[in-house]
Amino acid sequence: MNSKIWLSSPHVEDKELDYVNQAFLDNWIAPVGPHIFDFEYAIEDYLEGSNFVTALNSGTASIHVALKLLGVKQNDIVLCQSFTFVATANPITYLGATPVFVDSESETWNMCPKYLEEAIKECIRVNKKPKAIIFVDLYGMPAKIDEILQIGSFYNIPVIEDAAEALGSEYKKQKCGTFGDFSIFSFNGNKIITTSGGGAIVSRNKKDKEKVLFYATQAKEVAVHYQHEEVGYNYRLSNVCAAIGKGQMEVLDKRITQRRFNHSFYQKLFKDNNDIYVFKSVNTDFNSNYWLTCILVSTEASYTNLDLIAYLTIHNIEARPLWKPLHLQPVFQNNLYFGSQVSAGLYNQGVCLPSGSNLSPENRLFIAEVFAKFFKQYSNV
Ligand SMILES: *Cc1c(COP(=O)(O)O)cnc(C)c1O
């Protein structure tokens, strides 16, 4: 049996280990230390413009703090993209607020501006003006960001960009992670770069960064004794993890090139196959990092997305359905949803394919062979 081909596995080398060793030598084995600042500067430098990065211990924590800074409280409503990983919505509930879900449009698979506005109008009509909007750049694909930000600003509702999967992607030549009031990144093991576990919140000014730090380190007031006037969290990234991140930032562009290469590999693989559509940018405004390559299986095909996933799985190739929309998740079954089941349709047809930056030429060859066998089997029935 071949060794397992993963969807997106960590890809680290000697440089990361050197920095981790440095952390050990300096005894900065703590959620403070020089690697944290270096990692934050590296991201700020990469993003360009007026952005202030605070490294936290997860993407989820970053969303939690962003919502907190926007004043989200008990019984508030937050509008949230339905088609995403559950971590986008969970922090809304940590604050006692309620997510109301918005469907995707079919071009970027992200928050549909039309349904976003419909949801806002309906919430305002029942006297529950939303406190914030969270949209996602899913699978690395930038959302229709101008439209979403215009709606947010027209109704005076702050916007959070969940760019957990989109480090290195660009919308109209501007880096994802720089839009809205706050953006967040994740450095979980499966993301485009990893710190083993980690995240970051990107703010647009220094004052907001100071507030992020305040809440992420137990809301400790300036005083020699430990003075606390508000509830805070213990969310800072460890210096050991930041050491990994610092090394990863040095190879980020290479990693993105490798992910995009996988995407073009799959486009070539399926170019004569009318049953498979490879998800891609509709135009050059949307420059995806192609964190994961996703395909849709035509409803006319003689097999389903689940048949394909099962076949890949028995050949030790990891493949998964697309994110199950949150409005279809039992945990959110009582939450309002605005849309026309675009995301549900994608979920029913979609497959995420192995997309790691560490896929080898042999891995790609094997994947191509397994697909060929699969299609042969279905063309004989
Ligand atoms: C991974 C991810 C998160 C959460 O990040 P963690 O670091 O795992 O907490 C949030 N949103 C999206 C879209 C993600 O893919």
Side-chain angles (χ1 to χ4, degrees):
M1 195 71 165
N2 64 303
S3 60
K4 181 154 180 167
I5 298 177
W6 299 94
L7 203 63
S8 178
S9 69
H11 186 182
V12 292
E13 287 166 339
D14 296 348
K15 200 60 182 259
E16 289 83 347
L17 193 55
D18 288 347
Y19 290 136
V20 171
N21 275 323
Q22 194 62 47
F24 272 67
L25 288 172
D26 299 341
N27 204 30
W28 283 111
I29 314 297
V32 284
H35 287 319
I36 300 175
F37 301 111
D38 291 348
F39 182 43
E40 290 173 343
Y41 288 142
I43 302 169
E44 284 173 4
D45 194 47
Y46 185 79
L47 294 178
E48 298 170 339
S50 179
N51 293 290
F52 295 80
V53 171
T54 315
L56 302 186
N57 57 20
S58 74
T60 310
S62 305
I63 296 172
H64 190 184
V65 172
L67 291 165
K68 174 88 185 171
L69 287 193
L70 294 175
V72 173
K73 292 190 186 68
Q74 193 87 28
N75 300 323
D76 283 340
I77 281 178
V78 173
L79 298 177
C80 180
Q81 181 165 327
S82 179
F83 193 41
T84 182
F85 180 47
V86 71
T88 309
N90 275 340
I92 300 169
T93 69
Y94 302 167
L95 291 161
T98 304
V100 165
F101 294 108
V102 178
D103 202 3
S104 293
E105 33 78 16
S106 56
E107 290 189 346
T108 74
W109 294 7
N110 291 308
M111 185 178 262
C112 174
K114 188 180 105 203
Y115 285 115
L116 170 63
E117 185 156 30
E118 194 178 306
I120 294 172
K121 282 184 176 160
E122 178 58 20
C123 291
I124 290 175
R125 196 184 66 79
V126 298
N127 259 323
K128 288 291 278 182
K129 183 174 164 180
K131 265 297 183 65
I133 296 164
I134 310 182
F135 75 91
V136 187
D137 304 311
L138 206 67
Y139 301 116
M141 184 64 73
K144 296 198 171 175
I145 299 179
D146 278 350
E147 287 89 331
I148 292 169
L149 293 184
Q150 269 161 25
I151 292 168
S153 110
F154 182 82
Y155 291 95
N156 202 15
I157 303 170
V159 178
I160 297 171
E161 177 189 27
D162 179 346
E165 302 173 359
L167 180 61
S169 300
E170 290 170 337
Y171 174 71
K172 298 187 175 174
K173 307 262 181 305
Q174 186 181 330
K175 290 267 171 13
C176 287
T178 65
F179 295 97
D181 295 85
F182 294 101
S183 306
I184 72 96
F185 289 119
S186 166
F187 311 115
N188 199 356
N190 60 348
K191 298 291 156 67
I192 196 136
I193 62 164
T194 184
T195 58
S196 75
I201 180 159
V202 189
S203 48
R204 312 301 167 222
N205 58 67
K206 200 153 185 259
K207 226 173 127 216
D208 279 342
K209 171 165 175 155
E210 283 161 8
K211 284 193 226 159
V212 172
L213 266 178
F214 174 75
Y215 285 112
T217 54
Q218 309 286 22
K220 188 165 143 313
E221 304 289 339
V222 181
V224 265
H225 61 281
Y226 280 75
Q227 174 81 6
H228 299 278
E229 292 163 19
E230 285 184 76
V231 171
Y233 313 105
N234 181 10
Y235 278 170
R236 196 69 162 130
L237 185 70
S238 156
N239 187 63
V240 180
C241 297
I244 305 172
K246 182 177 163 182
Q248 290 267 277
M249 281 307 291
E250 294 176 14
V251 291
L252 173 59
D253 281 330
K254 250 164 79 180
R255 298 292 177 263
I256 293 169
T257 304
Q258 288 156 328
R259 299 256 175 186
R260 287 180 176 152
F261 183 81
N262 290 330
H263 183 262
S264 56
F265 158 74
Y266 287 117
Q267 276 191 287
K268 276 187 215 121
L269 189 63
F270 301 125
K271 80 174 169 359
D272 298 320
N273 188 325
N274 295 325
D275 289 330
I276 305 262
Y277 161 74
V278 181
F279 178 47
K280 60 175 193 293
S281 309
V282 284
N283 64 50
T284 52
D285 285 351
F286 305 90
N287 189 14
S288 176
N289 63 10
Y290 289 118
W291 170 59
L292 294 186
T293 296
C294 305
I295 56 170
L296 297 179
V297 174
S298 163
T299 50
E300 313 280 294
S302 53
Y303 51 88
T304 67
N305 62 334
L306 298 182
D307 293 330
L308 185 52
I309 291 169
Y311 194 83
L312 293 170
T313 305
I314 56 169
H315 289 85
N316 224 9
I317 298 170
E318 189 184 20
R320 277 197 228 148
L322 304 182
W323 299 122
K324 181 175 178 175
L326 298 183
H327 72 279
L328 300 177
Q329 295 284 5
V331 66
F332 294 124
Q333 63 185 348
N334 297 322
N335 293 55
L336 280 176
Y337 157 77
F338 291 83
S340 56
Q341 306 297 347
V342 168
S343 55
L346 296 170
Y347 169 66
N348 286 329
Q349 285 178 258
V351 182
C352 300
L353 296 173
S355 305
S357 48
N358 49 6
L359 278 193
S360 66
E362 294 74 30
N363 289 156
R364 279 186 289 268
L365 197 65
F366 183 70
I367 291 169
E369 282 167 13
V370 171
F371 266 108
K373 275 201 290 185
F374 175 80
F375 294 135
K376 190 149 175 261
Q377 180 177 319
Y378 276 91
S379 66
N380 290 339
V381 291

